[in-house]
Amino acid sequence: MPPVLTTPAPGRGAGWERLAEALRPLLEHGTVDGIWVFRTMRAGPREFGTAILTRVEGDRRRIFTARYSLLVKGRQRGGFEWGLDEVGAGPVTALEELLALVPARGVEDEPPVPIDVALWFPPSDPSHDSPAG
């Protein structure tokens, strides 16, 4: 029987996990209300991922793109770079209009896929937030 190749679910995998870990301290817990991920791309020894995140601040919504590059082959395997850019802002109620303004990723027509915010920003456990007594 030939081996079965599986593709991680959208927003899951080593590169996405490292990106989420890098973003957690920058994006205050509880304010990210949406995440959409594009299909992961590979070029040579690198894997690339791009995501759109939305964050609510009062009556405004801010839109960010987050990107990563992960070396998956070669002597420096595991090398990781990431970035976060704010690409727009507007009223909380204008989500669809704001997402339409996010620059296209490139030649690919495949739209990003929404993922559960808790996958990257899990709710905090109150029992770990308070000192042991």
Side-chain angles (χ1 to χ4, degrees), residues 34-95:
I35 303 173
W36 295 261
V37 296
F38 288 94
R39 184 174 55 85
T40 304
M41 310 274 294
R42 285 233 175 142
R46 292 188 177 273
E47 173 184 286
F48 299 93
T50 301
I52 300 169
L53 294 92
T54 62
R55 176 179 173 174
V56 174
E57 294 177 3
D59 63 348
R60 304 287 292 169
R61 183 183 308 273
R62 295 170 64 189
I63 309 288
F64 299 88
T65 56
R67 293 179 171 83
Y68 77 84
S69 170
L70 175 66
L71 276 165
V72 293
K73 295 180 182 176
R75 292 175 49 162
Q76 298 195 1
R77 182 177 182 202
F80 184 76
E81 296 175 3
W82 66 277
L84 177 68
D85 296 306
E86 184 170 354
V87 295
V92 169
T93 58
L95 177 61

Side-chain angles (χ1 to χ4, degrees), residues 13-29:
W16 292 120
E17 290 168 11
R18 289 180 69 179
L19 179 61
E21 185 178 316
L23 294 173
R24 280 186 206 116
L26 298 177
L27 299 173
E28 199 174 301
H29 177 73

